[in-house]
Amino acid sequence: MQMRLSCLGINSMLLAVLMLPVAVAQQAPKAEQELQQLQKQIKQTEQQVRQQRRQLQQAEQKLQTADKALAEAAKKLRDTASRKQRLEQESARLSQQQQQLQQQLTEQQQLLAAQLKSAYSLGRHDYSRLILNQQETGKLERILTYYQYFNQARLRQLAEINHTVTQLEQVKQQLSNQQQQLQTELTALQQQQQQLTAARSSQQESVSNLQALLKQQGSQLAYLRQNETSLQNTINELRRLAERNKDLSGLTAGRGQYPWPLRGRVLQRFGQNRQGGLASRGILIQGVSGANVQSIANGRVIYADWLKGYGWVIVVDHGKGFMSLYGHNQSLLKQPGDNVEAGEAIAQVGASGGQADPGLYFEIREKGDAVNPLNWLGKQ
């Protein structure tokens, strides 16, 4: 009996061994199928990542294009407004000159009338009788002298009147031309204001699309880190350029007293977590689109361009390793190499670089490291 059980056990083991290749053969297609599905999922994920990157790049390019269009429209608007102001000043000067010439003409006409009246009074003497009367030669000489004087005075007065009338006509023509140019500039100004409004709407749409895309992809933190890396690389490059400016005195002397680049509420403080979790290396000041951004101290512009994540950025070197950075501008008023003074306008407030609302991002760097700007600025 025991021997019989042993034989059965051996037969079962032999059967299991014989069936093992069959089981493996049956499971192989399933494993191969799972492997193919996994590879397909990996490929789909890689394609999604590449597609997301393309979408993000396209959104960034659209934002940059919108920022540039807005900056160009703002520049045209600013230039046209400046020309309009100069034309208005010139028109006011011409109007004043016209009034003066008109008054001068009136006075000259009155003086000529007085001269003619005097000549008439003198002419009541019998001129021919005086000539024939040789006994009054002295009186005759005096009267001839008077006549000569009045004639010369009348000629001079008539010449002055003609000159004044010519000047007056020229001024009237210039004034008319100025008015026409002014009307042309006003029309251009209205068109550029429309372009500015359209560019601002396009910018806001690009900002919304970029933010929605970042939220959808969950890549906001990575995006912020890329932007910060780009800014730091730019700062490192600028430090080498700043070392050439040996004539600048730095910021140490005025610590805690420098004027604010923009008057406004501080929306984000130094070191405060930004959206996405990164600590801010500067401060964000609330502003109004188009308001002037001012340099906090004397210095030299060493960077003025569009920077990913920060929009239109201008960097001023103050010497001794100190730099100030102004970001999210609508447009820039200075170029690299320009010298600037404390309080001088260097940019206009905007929302470039992906901001939803207008404001100024402001940093102070000491030897490349960000320091708290509030420790250097005075009270608002």
Side-chain angles (χ1 to χ4, degrees), residues 44-270:
Q44 289 176 346
T45 302
E46 290 175 346
Q47 289 177 348
Q48 289 176 353
V49 170
R50 285 195 296 268
Q51 183 179 4
Q52 288 176 349
R53 286 176 180 173
R54 284 195 299 269
Q55 290 175 341
L56 185 58
Q57 288 175 352
Q58 290 173 356
E60 289 172 348
Q61 289 173 355
K62 288 182 180 179
L63 175 61
Q64 184 176 1
T65 300
D67 283 347
K68 287 183 176 180
L70 181 58
E72 183 65 24
K75 182 179 183 300
K76 288 182 179 179
L77 185 66
R78 187 172 62 249
D79 292 343
T80 304
S82 179
R83 288 197 303 271
K84 174 178 170 290
Q85 184 178 10
R86 289 196 299 270
L87 284 172
E88 287 176 342
Q89 292 173 350
E90 181 65 15
S91 295
R93 185 189 67 81
L94 288 173
S95 296
Q96 185 178 4
Q97 185 179 358
Q98 182 184 22
Q99 292 176 359
Q100 292 173 350
L101 287 171
Q102 190 65 53
Q103 183 179 356
Q104 183 178 337
L105 180 61
T106 302
E107 292 173 355
Q108 289 170 347
Q109 289 171 339
Q110 291 174 351
L111 184 58
L112 179 61
Q115 290 175 353
L116 291 174
K117 183 178 180 181
S118 298
Y120 173 76
S121 298
L122 186 62
R124 285 184 300 174
H125 297 280
D126 189 348
Y127 184 63
S128 59
R129 185 173 61 84
L130 289 173
I131 293 177
L132 295 173
N133 189 357
Q134 299 296 324
Q135 295 178 354
E136 300 183 15
T137 55
K139 187 176 182 180
L140 176 60
E141 290 178 357
R142 288 195 300 273
I143 291 175
L144 289 176
T145 302
Y146 291 150
Y147 270 115
Q148 185 178 9
Y149 169 77
F150 283 125
N151 287 333
Q152 290 176 351
R154 280 198 298 269
L155 289 174
R156 285 196 303 269
Q157 201 63 46
L158 287 170
E160 290 177 358
I161 288 176
N162 288 333
H163 181 66
T164 302
V165 169
T166 301
Q167 283 186 305
L168 189 57
E169 290 299 324
Q170 290 176 349
V171 168
K172 286 181 178 178
Q173 185 60 45
Q174 290 177 356
L175 191 57
S176 176
N177 294 338
Q178 291 282 0
Q179 294 297 335
Q180 290 178 2
Q181 291 182 21
L182 186 58
Q183 186 59 46
T184 301
E185 295 295 341
L186 284 172
T187 303
L189 196 61
Q190 292 172 352
Q191 293 175 350
Q192 288 161 8
Q193 285 175 335
Q194 294 175 356
Q195 293 175 2
L196 186 66
T197 301
R200 188 171 288 134
S201 299
S202 176
Q203 184 198 45
Q204 291 173 347
E205 182 181 357
S206 298
V207 169
S208 299
N209 292 339
L210 177 61
Q211 291 178 342
L213 188 61
L214 289 170
K215 185 176 181 181
Q216 176 186 351
Q217 296 180 1
S219 56
Q220 189 171 31
L221 181 59
Y223 179 74
L224 291 175
R225 283 176 175 167
Q226 289 176 2
N227 296 342
E228 193 168 85
T229 300
S230 177
L231 175 61
Q232 188 60 50
N233 291 338
T234 302
I235 292 294
N236 293 338
E237 181 65 27
L238 293 178
R239 281 187 63 190
R240 288 189 282 273
L241 295 175
E243 291 175 356
R244 305 174 186 174
N245 297 327
K246 303 294 184 181
D247 57 324
L248 301 175
S249 58
L251 295 177
T252 307
R255 183 184 175 98
Q257 300 176 0
Y258 288 103
W260 282 65
L262 176 69
R263 298 282 181 176
R265 186 165 62 94
V266 178
L267 302 176
Q268 188 175 82
R269 294 182 175 272
F270 180 80

Side-chain angles (χ1 to χ4, degrees), residues 40 121 181 214 250 302 315 332 347 372:
K40 184 178 180 180
S121 298
Q181 291 182 21
L214 289 170
I302 57 175
V315 179
L332 306 179
N372 190 348

